[in-house]
């Protein structure tokens, strides 16, 4: 499957509405979260008087905690009912949440924004299983890797635009008003985009839904572990979210405290990270030929290890600037290019790492359990991201060097890539 065929999916009714709605939702999520981070880090937004080093990881965890707790229930609903209907309703709910978020930004209310983050995570928990489980229905088996590559690239690019907007708008005159208006408008556009989606029939219309989300969360993980060919890629994706969630959350305080720079360098590093990840996703789609392509996960994992260790080495020996000089001046200094390249190449390797895992899980999951198994992936992803974010909180509490977190991610990724080598001979079947 080439990129030419993959891009041929764009414009089709079975693919484009979900792609557009998901892209707009990604933009809104990242505009919201990054605006909150920048307001807390540079503009004095507080929650219960906590310092920004604690507010940032706690805010990120509010979103992932909702994903963790409600994904099991959402997976049952996505197996029980038509998934296109669920996506339409959850995108309408996003409009209501963005109105609440707009009020939070206009009032500069940390508690309202934190509550909204949790509700946004809940909305994502119910949207995501239906979207992911619908892909094998809308796409042919040999289109899954390339379709996920397009989704990955668009996700990273809209993440970039959302991040940049969230990092730059708060400093503008009437920035909070602009943020509020954009969030509501894009939520409405997302709902309108999803309306033409064709039906995606329930995988198990007679399923009895169990509403105890605590018990079902545990049960979902146990059931998924009984399907090892699905569970292995789910675990690999969970590590990706632990690693990238922690690294992206780390960037603002890393720039401020280690590099001694300002918000514009945060935006630059985010741009490099996201463009790299999108490039890696597209490269995987271009060369995978529609197969499981676990070789890309292995290569991406080892690549992340090498580049992250190099970044950590540089940061461990970095001399903090006495005064911020701005992103353009930072780029003009050739001594800084190695660090910038390290962020870009880490992200490129990460984009190659994640795409085959998503396609493998979708393809291998049984139809009658597909949404529940893939929702378990959301539980694991949220758990991984929360661990990464709480790890950053621990660094702050104990005043440890931030490059320690990067070394931890590098070594863990190396272990996963090495363990995946045993499945390489089976990568074209049931690895």
């Amino acid at each position: 499957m080439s990129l030419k065929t993959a891009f041929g999916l764009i414009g089709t009714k079975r693919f484009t509405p979900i792609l557009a709605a998901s892209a707009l939702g990604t933009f809104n999520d990242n505009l919201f979260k990054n605006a909150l981070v920048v307001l807390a880090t540079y503009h004095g937004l507080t929650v219960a008087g906590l310092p920004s080093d604690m507010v940032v990881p706690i805010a990120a965890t509010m979103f992932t905690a909702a994903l963790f707790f409600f994904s099991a229930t959402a997976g049952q609903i996505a197996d029980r009912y038509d998934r296109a209907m669920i996506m339409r309703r959850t995108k309408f709910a996003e409009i209501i949440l963005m109105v609440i978020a707009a009020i939070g930004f206009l009032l500069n209310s940390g508690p309202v924004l934190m509550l909204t983050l949790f509700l946004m995570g809940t909305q994502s928990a119910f949207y995501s299983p239906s979207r992911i489980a619908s892909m094998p229905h809308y796409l042919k088996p040999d289109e899954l890797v390339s379709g996920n590559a397009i989704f990955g690239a668009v996700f990273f690019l809209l993440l970039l635009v959302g991040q940049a907007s969230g990092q730059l708008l708060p400093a503008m005159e009437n920035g909070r008003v602009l943020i509020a208006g954009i969030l509501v408008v894009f939520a409405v556009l997302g709902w309108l985009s999803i309306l033409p989606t064709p039906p995606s029939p329930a995988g198990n219309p007679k399923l009895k839904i169990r509403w105890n989300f605590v018990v079902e969360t545990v049960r979902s993980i146990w059931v998924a572990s009984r399907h090892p060919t699905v569970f292995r890629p789910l675990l690999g994706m969970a590590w990706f979210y632990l690693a990238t969630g922690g690294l992206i959350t780390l960037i603002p305080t890393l720039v401020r405290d280690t590099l001694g720079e300002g918000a514009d360098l945060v935006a630059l590093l985010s741009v490099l990270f996201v463009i790299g990840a999108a490039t890696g996703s597209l490269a995987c789609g271009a060369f995978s030929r529609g197969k499981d392509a676990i070789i890309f996960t292995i290569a991406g994992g080892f690549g992340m290890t090498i580049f992250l260790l190099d970044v950590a080495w540089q940061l461990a020996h970095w001399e903090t600037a006495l005064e911020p000089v701005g992103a353009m001046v930072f780029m003009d200094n050739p001594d800084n290019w190695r660090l910038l390249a390290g962020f870009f190449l880490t992200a490129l390797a990460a984009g190659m790492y994640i795409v085959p895992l998503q396609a493998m899980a979708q393809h291998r999951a049984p139809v009658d359990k597909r949404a529940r198994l893939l929702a378990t992936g959301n539980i694991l992803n949220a758990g991984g991201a929360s661990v990464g974010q709480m790890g950053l909180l621990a660094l702050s509490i104990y005043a440890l060097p931030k490059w320690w977190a990067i070394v931890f991610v590098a070594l863990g990724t190396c272990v996963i890539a090495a363990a995946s080598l045993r499945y390489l001979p089976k990568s074209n079947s049931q690895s």
Side-chain angles (χ1 to χ4, degrees):
M1 170 76 59
S2 65
L3 275 186
K4 179 180 178 181
T5 306
F7 280 116
L9 294 170
I10 298 177
T12 62
K13 192 175 180 180
R14 62 193 172 100
F15 187 76
T16 304
I18 301 178
L19 179 65
S22 300
L24 292 166
T26 297
F27 172 85
N28 260 2
D29 286 349
N30 286 280
L31 168 60
F32 182 104
K33 288 186 285 188
N34 282 273
L36 175 57
V37 166
V38 170
L39 287 172
T41 304
Y42 295 102
H43 300 283
L45 179 71
T46 61
V47 179
L50 295 172
S52 62
D53 281 0
M54 298 181 69
V55 170
V56 171
I58 290 173
T61 304
M62 292 294 288
F63 188 90
T64 55
L67 282 171
F68 183 84
F69 286 118
F70 300 128
S71 287
T73 301
Q76 295 179 77
I77 293 173
D79 271 337
R80 173 67 175 80
Y81 298 103
D82 181 274
R83 291 155 186 163
M85 177 270 294
I86 295 171
M87 288 188 283
R88 285 192 289 268
R89 293 188 179 184
T90 52
K91 294 304 287 185
F92 183 80
E94 184 179 327
I95 299 174
I96 299 172
L97 296 182
M98 291 304 99
V99 171
I100 299 173
I103 293 171
F105 280 109
L106 293 175
L107 297 178
N108 198 34
S109 173
V112 170
L113 294 175
M114 285 290 195
L115 173 63
T116 308
L117 261 183
F118 182 80
L119 295 176
M120 288 169 64
T122 303
Q123 184 264 346
S124 294
F126 283 89
Y127 175 81
S128 182
S130 293
R131 198 281 291 176
I132 298 172
S134 292
M135 300 314 295
H137 172 74
Y138 293 130
L139 303 182
K140 301 173 184 177
D142 62 350
E143 294 175 329
L144 272 178
V145 171
S146 292
N148 278 286
I150 296 296
F151 256 97
V154 171
F155 168 83
F156 287 122
L157 290 175
L158 267 294
L159 183 150
L160 166 62
V161 178
Q163 279 186 337
S165 301
Q167 290 159 0
L168 298 176
L169 285 177
M172 297 175 59
E173 185 177 358
N174 297 320
R176 290 181 177 85
V177 176
L178 289 172
I179 293 168
I182 291 170
L183 288 173
V184 174
V185 169
F186 274 58
V188 172
L189 292 176
W191 174 66
L192 293 174
S193 297
I194 203 69
L195 293 180
T197 306
S200 177
N204 188 351
K206 296 182 179 180
L207 177 68
K208 181 180 179 180
I209 297 175
R210 301 180 180 91
W211 296 100
N212 188 324
F213 64 87
V214 176
V215 172
E216 288 308 306
T217 297
V218 176
R219 189 199 304 273
S220 293
I221 296 173
W222 182 83
V223 170
S225 70
R226 307 286 290 180
H227 295 75
T229 59
V230 179
F231 196 56
R232 286 195 296 268
L234 294 182
L235 288 175
M237 287 189 288
W239 179 261
F240 171 87
Y241 282 93
L242 184 155
T244 58
L247 291 174
I248 291 173
T249 305
L250 177 66
I251 286 176
T253 54
L254 179 70
V255 167
R256 185 191 64 191
D257 299 338
T258 302
L259 303 181
E261 302 296 336
D264 55 347
L265 185 59
V266 174
L268 172 62
L269 291 180
S270 298
V271 166
L272 290 175
F273 200 91
V274 173
I275 291 178
T279 303
S281 295
L282 291 175
C284 184
F287 300 111
S288 66
R289 300 181 183 274
K291 304 297 179 66
D292 270 359
I294 195 173
I295 182 62
F296 288 93
T297 293
I298 295 170
F302 283 128
M304 287 178 66
T305 300
I306 294 169
F307 301 130
L308 283 171
L309 288 176
D310 183 62
V311 168
W313 173 264
Q314 294 181 69
L315 294 176
H317 297 83
W318 199 271
E319 293 185 8
T320 303
L322 297 178
E323 294 182 1
V325 296
M328 297 304 296
V329 176
F330 188 89
M331 285 191 296
D332 284 342
N333 185 349
D335 293 340
N336 299 332
W337 293 355
R338 179 178 162 192
L339 181 67
L340 298 176
F343 272 92
F344 175 81
L345 293 172
T346 295
L348 187 147
M352 293 175 58
Y353 170 92
I354 188 62
V355 169
L357 297 176
Q358 182 74 77
M360 280 188 264
Q362 290 171 340
H363 176 66
R364 298 171 181 180
V367 174
D368 63 332
K369 299 178 181 177
R370 179 174 289 151
R372 281 168 287 168
L373 289 173
L374 298 178
T376 303
N378 285 343
I379 295 171
L380 297 173
N381 295 344
S386 296
V387 169
Q389 291 148 6
M390 288 299 98
L392 297 183
L393 182 60
L395 289 179
S396 175
I397 292 172
Y398 293 104
L400 298 173
K402 291 179 173 59
W403 56 264
W404 282 25
I406 298 176
V407 171
F408 172 77
V409 169
L411 297 179
T413 306
C414 183
V415 170
I416 291 175
S420 300
L421 286 171
R422 65 180 294 194
Y423 303 110
L424 185 58
K426 302 176 183 180
S427 62
N428 294 333
S429 56
Q430 294 293 315
S431 61

mmCIF file of all heavy atoms in Angstrom, residues 373-406:
data_model
loop_
_atom_site.group_PDB
_atom_site.id
_atom_site.type_symbol
_atom_site.label_atom_id
_atom_site.label_comp_id
_atom_site.label_asym_id
_atom_site.label_seq_id
_atom_site.Cartn_x
_atom_site.Cartn_y
_atom_site.Cartn_z
ATOM 1 N N LEU A 373 -11.906 -4.517 23.292
ATOM 2 C CA LEU A 373 -10.463 -4.747 23.326
ATOM 3 C C LEU A 373 -9.693 -3.470 23.010
ATOM 4 O O LEU A 373 -8.691 -3.156 23.665
ATOM 5 C CB LEU A 373 -10.089 -5.851 22.333
ATOM 6 C CG LEU A 373 -10.532 -7.270 22.717
ATOM 7 C CD1 LEU A 373 -10.251 -8.241 21.576
ATOM 8 C CD2 LEU A 373 -9.831 -7.731 23.986
ATOM 9 N N LEU A 374 -10.157 -2.721 22.008
ATOM 10 C CA LEU A 374 -9.466 -1.494 21.658
ATOM 11 C C LEU A 374 -9.680 -0.417 22.718
ATOM 12 O O LEU A 374 -8.810 0.434 22.928
ATOM 13 C CB LEU A 374 -9.922 -1.011 20.281
ATOM 14 C CG LEU A 374 -9.611 -1.988 19.133
ATOM 15 C CD1 LEU A 374 -10.140 -1.449 17.815
ATOM 16 C CD2 LEU A 374 -8.120 -2.259 19.033
ATOM 17 N N ALA A 375 -10.829 -0.449 23.397
ATOM 18 C CA ALA A 375 -11.032 0.473 24.523
ATOM 19 C C ALA A 375 -10.067 0.162 25.652
ATOM 20 O O ALA A 375 -9.637 1.074 26.379
ATOM 21 C CB ALA A 375 -12.475 0.379 25.021
ATOM 22 N N THR A 376 -9.712 -1.111 25.803
ATOM 23 C CA THR A 376 -8.688 -1.459 26.786
ATOM 24 C C THR A 376 -7.373 -0.774 26.448
ATOM 25 O O THR A 376 -6.613 -0.386 27.342
ATOM 26 C CB THR A 376 -8.494 -2.990 26.841
ATOM 27 O OG1 THR A 376 -9.745 -3.596 27.148
ATOM 28 C CG2 THR A 376 -7.476 -3.370 27.900
ATOM 29 N N GLY A 377 -7.121 -0.618 25.155
ATOM 30 C CA GLY A 377 -5.941 0.140 24.753
ATOM 31 C C GLY A 377 -5.988 1.562 25.279
ATOM 32 O O GLY A 377 -4.972 2.102 25.734
ATOM 33 N N ASN A 378 -7.183 2.178 25.249
ATOM 34 C CA ASN A 378 -7.314 3.524 25.814
ATOM 35 C C ASN A 378 -7.034 3.532 27.311
ATOM 36 O O ASN A 378 -6.443 4.474 27.845
ATOM 37 C CB ASN A 378 -8.716 4.068 25.561
ATOM 38 C CG ASN A 378 -8.923 4.497 24.120
ATOM 39 O OD1 ASN A 378 -7.962 4.694 23.385
ATOM 40 N ND2 ASN A 378 -10.170 4.624 23.711
ATOM 41 N N ILE A 379 -7.485 2.480 28.003
ATOM 42 C CA ILE A 379 -7.216 2.379 29.441
ATOM 43 C C ILE A 379 -5.715 2.311 29.683
ATOM 44 O O ILE A 379 -5.162 3.024 30.533
ATOM 45 C CB ILE A 379 -7.912 1.134 30.034
ATOM 46 C CG1 ILE A 379 -9.436 1.271 29.930
ATOM 47 C CG2 ILE A 379 -7.493 0.908 31.489
ATOM 48 C CD1 ILE A 379 -10.192 0.004 30.285
ATOM 49 N N LEU A 380 -5.052 1.442 28.926
ATOM 50 C CA LEU A 380 -3.600 1.299 29.086
ATOM 51 C C LEU A 380 -2.874 2.580 28.680
ATOM 52 O O LEU A 380 -1.907 2.988 29.340
ATOM 53 C CB LEU A 380 -3.109 0.114 28.253
ATOM 54 C CG LEU A 380 -3.649 -1.261 28.655
ATOM 55 C CD1 LEU A 380 -3.223 -2.319 27.633
ATOM 56 C CD2 LEU A 380 -3.186 -1.652 30.050
ATOM 57 N N ASN A 381 -3.338 3.217 27.590
ATOM 58 C CA ASN A 381 -2.715 4.472 27.154
ATOM 59 C C ASN A 381 -2.847 5.545 28.230
ATOM 60 O O ASN A 381 -1.894 6.277 28.519
ATOM 61 C CB ASN A 381 -3.357 4.965 25.858
ATOM 62 C CG ASN A 381 -3.109 4.039 24.692
ATOM 63 O OD1 ASN A 381 -2.232 3.177 24.745
ATOM 64 N ND2 ASN A 381 -3.888 4.187 23.641
ATOM 65 N N ALA A 382 -4.059 5.654 28.791
ATOM 66 C CA ALA A 382 -4.287 6.659 29.834
ATOM 67 C C ALA A 382 -3.451 6.355 31.064
ATOM 68 O O ALA A 382 -2.886 7.268 31.687
ATOM 69 C CB ALA A 382 -5.767 6.713 30.191
ATOM 70 N N GLY A 383 -3.375 5.070 31.420
ATOM 71 C CA GLY A 383 -2.537 4.695 32.558
ATOM 72 C C GLY A 383 -1.082 5.026 32.304
ATOM 73 O O GLY A 383 -0.386 5.559 33.181
ATOM 74 N N GLY A 384 -0.619 4.740 31.091
ATOM 75 C CA GLY A 384 0.765 5.048 30.752
ATOM 76 C C GLY A 384 1.036 6.539 30.776
ATOM 77 O O GLY A 384 2.045 6.991 31.336
ATOM 78 N N ALA A 385 0.123 7.323 30.169
ATOM 79 C CA ALA A 385 0.314 8.772 30.164
ATOM 80 C C ALA A 385 0.293 9.333 31.578
ATOM 81 O O ALA A 385 1.083 10.228 31.917
ATOM 82 C CB ALA A 385 -0.781 9.434 29.318
ATOM 83 N N SER A 386 -0.592 8.802 32.425
ATOM 84 C CA SER A 386 -0.669 9.283 33.809
ATOM 85 C C SER A 386 0.612 8.957 34.572
ATOM 86 O O SER A 386 1.099 9.775 35.361
ATOM 87 C CB SER A 386 -1.876 8.665 34.519
ATOM 88 O OG SER A 386 -3.084 9.083 33.917
ATOM 89 N N VAL A 387 1.160 7.766 34.340
ATOM 90 C CA VAL A 387 2.427 7.408 34.990
ATOM 91 C C VAL A 387 3.525 8.370 34.561
ATOM 92 O O VAL A 387 4.317 8.848 35.382
ATOM 93 C CB VAL A 387 2.814 5.946 34.667
ATOM 94 C CG1 VAL A 387 4.248 5.662 35.103
ATOM 95 C CG2 VAL A 387 1.857 4.982 35.360
ATOM 96 N N GLY A 388 3.575 8.675 33.259
ATOM 97 C CA GLY A 388 4.580 9.615 32.771
ATOM 98 C C GLY A 388 4.421 10.995 33.391
ATOM 99 O O GLY A 388 5.394 11.626 33.811
ATOM 100 N N GLN A 389 3.178 11.464 33.485
ATOM 101 C CA GLN A 389 2.933 12.790 34.035
ATOM 102 C C GLN A 389 3.204 12.832 35.535
ATOM 103 O O GLN A 389 3.744 13.818 36.058
ATOM 104 C CB GLN A 389 1.497 13.206 33.722
ATOM 105 C CG GLN A 389 1.289 13.458 32.234
ATOM 106 C CD GLN A 389 -0.107 13.131 31.750
ATOM 107 O OE1 GLN A 389 -0.993 12.807 32.544
ATOM 108 N NE2 GLN A 389 -0.314 13.207 30.455
ATOM 109 N N MET A 390 2.832 11.763 36.253
ATOM 110 C CA MET A 390 3.101 11.726 37.685
ATOM 111 C C MET A 390 4.604 11.575 37.956
ATOM 112 O O MET A 390 5.106 12.024 38.978
ATOM 113 C CB MET A 390 2.325 10.585 38.325
ATOM 114 C CG MET A 390 0.818 10.834 38.422
ATOM 115 S SD MET A 390 0.384 12.295 39.427
ATOM 116 C CE MET A 390 0.131 13.536 38.154
ATOM 117 N N GLY A 391 5.310 10.944 37.017
ATOM 118 C CA GLY A 391 6.761 10.885 37.139
ATOM 119 C C GLY A 391 7.363 12.277 37.110
ATOM 120 O O GLY A 391 8.297 12.588 37.865
ATOM 121 N N LEU A 392 6.793 13.145 36.244
ATOM 122 C CA LEU A 392 7.253 14.531 36.204
ATOM 123 C C LEU A 392 6.935 15.254 37.507
ATOM 124 O O LEU A 392 7.717 16.080 37.988
ATOM 125 C CB LEU A 392 6.609 15.264 35.031
ATOM 126 C CG LEU A 392 6.941 14.735 33.634
ATOM 127 C CD1 LEU A 392 6.282 15.598 32.573
ATOM 128 C CD2 LEU A 392 8.440 14.677 33.418
ATOM 129 N N LEU A 393 5.780 14.941 38.076
ATOM 130 C CA LEU A 393 5.422 15.537 39.363
ATOM 131 C C LEU A 393 6.417 15.120 40.437
ATOM 132 O O LEU A 393 6.836 15.936 41.269
ATOM 133 C CB LEU A 393 4.004 15.119 39.754
ATOM 134 C CG LEU A 393 3.448 15.698 41.054
ATOM 135 C CD1 LEU A 393 3.412 17.222 40.985
ATOM 136 C CD2 LEU A 393 2.052 15.140 41.328
ATOM 137 N N ALA A 394 6.838 13.853 40.408
ATOM 138 C CA ALA A 394 7.829 13.376 41.376
ATOM 139 C C ALA A 394 9.160 14.102 41.199
ATOM 140 O O ALA A 394 9.821 14.446 42.183
ATOM 141 C CB ALA A 394 8.022 11.860 41.228
ATOM 142 N N LEU A 395 9.552 14.335 39.944
ATOM 143 C CA LEU A 395 10.783 15.092 39.702
ATOM 144 C C LEU A 395 10.713 16.477 40.340
ATOM 145 O O LEU A 395 11.681 16.969 40.920
ATOM 146 C CB LEU A 395 11.037 15.235 38.202
ATOM 147 C CG LEU A 395 11.457 13.992 37.417
ATOM 148 C CD1 LEU A 395 11.631 14.338 35.948
ATOM 149 C CD2 LEU A 395 12.732 13.388 37.968
ATOM 150 N N SER A 396 9.525 17.099 40.212
ATOM 151 C CA SER A 396 9.351 18.428 40.779
ATOM 152 C C SER A 396 9.412 18.394 42.302
ATOM 153 O O SER A 396 10.075 19.223 42.936
ATOM 154 C CB SER A 396 8.015 19.019 40.316
ATOM 155 O OG SER A 396 7.761 20.253 40.939
ATOM 156 N N ILE A 397 8.725 17.419 42.892
ATOM 157 C CA ILE A 397 8.668 17.333 44.352
ATOM 158 C C ILE A 397 10.059 17.106 44.949
ATOM 159 O O ILE A 397 10.429 17.714 45.957
ATOM 160 C CB ILE A 397 7.700 16.206 44.784
ATOM 161 C CG1 ILE A 397 6.262 16.594 44.419
ATOM 162 C CG2 ILE A 397 7.818 15.921 46.282
ATOM 163 C CD1 ILE A 397 5.251 15.488 44.632
ATOM 164 N N TYR A 398 10.842 16.247 44.320
ATOM 165 C CA TYR A 398 12.161 15.901 44.864
ATOM 166 C C TYR A 398 13.302 16.702 44.230
ATOM 167 O O TYR A 398 14.471 16.413 44.491
ATOM 168 C CB TYR A 398 12.408 14.402 44.686
ATOM 169 C CG TYR A 398 11.479 13.551 45.517
ATOM 170 C CD1 TYR A 398 10.404 12.890 44.935
ATOM 171 C CD2 TYR A 398 11.653 13.427 46.889
ATOM 172 C CE1 TYR A 398 9.530 12.110 45.693
ATOM 173 C CE2 TYR A 398 10.788 12.656 47.661
ATOM 174 C CZ TYR A 398 9.739 12.005 47.058
ATOM 175 O OH TYR A 398 8.882 11.246 47.813
ATOM 176 N N ALA A 399 12.926 17.696 43.396
ATOM 177 C CA ALA A 399 13.921 18.584 42.785
ATOM 178 C C ALA A 399 15.012 17.817 42.044
ATOM 179 O O ALA A 399 16.200 18.130 42.150
ATOM 180 C CB ALA A 399 14.534 19.496 43.852
ATOM 181 N N LEU A 400 14.605 16.800 41.271
ATOM 182 C CA LEU A 400 15.558 15.989 40.517
ATOM 183 C C LEU A 400 15.753 16.583 39.120
ATOM 184 O O LEU A 400 14.860 17.250 38.592
ATOM 185 C CB LEU A 400 15.043 14.542 40.403
ATOM 186 C CG LEU A 400 14.870 13.797 41.732
ATOM 187 C CD1 LEU A 400 14.205 12.449 41.492
ATOM 188 C CD2 LEU A 400 16.213 13.612 42.428
ATOM 189 N N PRO A 401 16.905 16.343 38.501
ATOM 190 C CA PRO A 401 17.126 16.853 37.131
ATOM 191 C C PRO A 401 16.105 16.293 36.160
ATOM 192 O O PRO A 401 15.786 15.092 36.191
ATOM 193 C CB PRO A 401 18.536 16.346 36.799
ATOM 194 C CG PRO A 401 19.183 16.074 38.116
ATOM 195 C CD PRO A 401 18.087 15.628 39.036
ATOM 196 N N LYS A 402 15.590 17.128 35.287
ATOM 197 C CA LYS A 402 14.533 16.701 34.369
ATOM 198 C C LYS A 402 15.041 15.739 33.301
ATOM 199 O O LYS A 402 14.260 14.984 32.719
ATOM 200 C CB LYS A 402 13.874 17.932 33.749
ATOM 201 C CG LYS A 402 13.064 18.720 34.775
ATOM 202 C CD LYS A 402 12.430 19.944 34.176
ATOM 203 C CE LYS A 402 11.487 20.605 35.183
ATOM 204 N NZ LYS A 402 12.155 21.008 36.433
ATOM 205 N N TRP A 403 16.354 15.745 33.039
ATOM 206 C CA TRP A 403 16.847 14.814 32.027
ATOM 207 C C TRP A 403 16.787 13.370 32.506
ATOM 208 O O TRP A 403 16.886 12.446 31.699
ATOM 209 C CB TRP A 403 18.265 15.188 31.591
ATOM 210 C CG TRP A 403 19.303 15.276 32.674
ATOM 211 C CD1 TRP A 403 19.708 16.396 33.326
ATOM 212 C CD2 TRP A 403 20.081 14.198 33.215
ATOM 213 N NE1 TRP A 403 20.693 16.096 34.249
ATOM 214 C CE2 TRP A 403 20.940 14.745 34.194
ATOM 215 C CE3 TRP A 403 20.146 12.826 32.971
ATOM 216 C CZ2 TRP A 403 21.830 13.974 34.923
ATOM 217 C CZ3 TRP A 403 21.049 12.045 33.691
ATOM 218 C CH2 TRP A 403 21.871 12.620 34.665
ATOM 219 N N TRP A 404 16.603 13.154 33.811
ATOM 220 C CA TRP A 404 16.416 11.792 34.310
ATOM 221 C C TRP A 404 15.189 11.142 33.668
ATOM 222 O O TRP A 404 15.201 9.944 33.363
ATOM 223 C CB TRP A 404 16.256 11.805 35.828
ATOM 224 C CG TRP A 404 17.534 11.962 36.601
ATOM 225 C CD1 TRP A 404 18.691 12.543 36.166
ATOM 226 C CD2 TRP A 404 17.786 11.541 37.946
ATOM 227 N NE1 TRP A 404 19.643 12.529 37.153
ATOM 228 C CE2 TRP A 404 19.112 11.915 38.257
ATOM 229 C CE3 TRP A 404 17.020 10.909 38.918
ATOM 230 C CZ2 TRP A 404 19.687 11.654 39.504
ATOM 231 C CZ3 TRP A 404 17.586 10.657 40.160
ATOM 232 C CH2 TRP A 404 18.901 11.021 40.441
ATOM 233 N N ALA A 405 14.130 11.916 33.495
ATOM 234 C CA ALA A 405 12.919 11.377 32.874
ATOM 235 C C ALA A 405 13.190 10.926 31.446
ATOM 236 O O ALA A 405 12.672 9.906 30.982
ATOM 237 C CB ALA A 405 11.812 12.433 32.890
ATOM 238 N N ILE A 406 14.031 11.666 30.725
ATOM 239 C CA ILE A 406 14.342 11.319 29.339
ATOM 240 C C ILE A 406 15.160 10.027 29.282
ATOM 241 O O ILE A 406 14.933 9.175 28.419
ATOM 242 C CB ILE A 406 15.091 12.490 28.673
ATOM 243 C CG1 ILE A 406 14.185 13.727 28.650
ATOM 244 C CG2 ILE A 406 15.537 12.120 27.264
ATOM 245 C CD1 ILE A 406 14.846 14.979 28.113
#
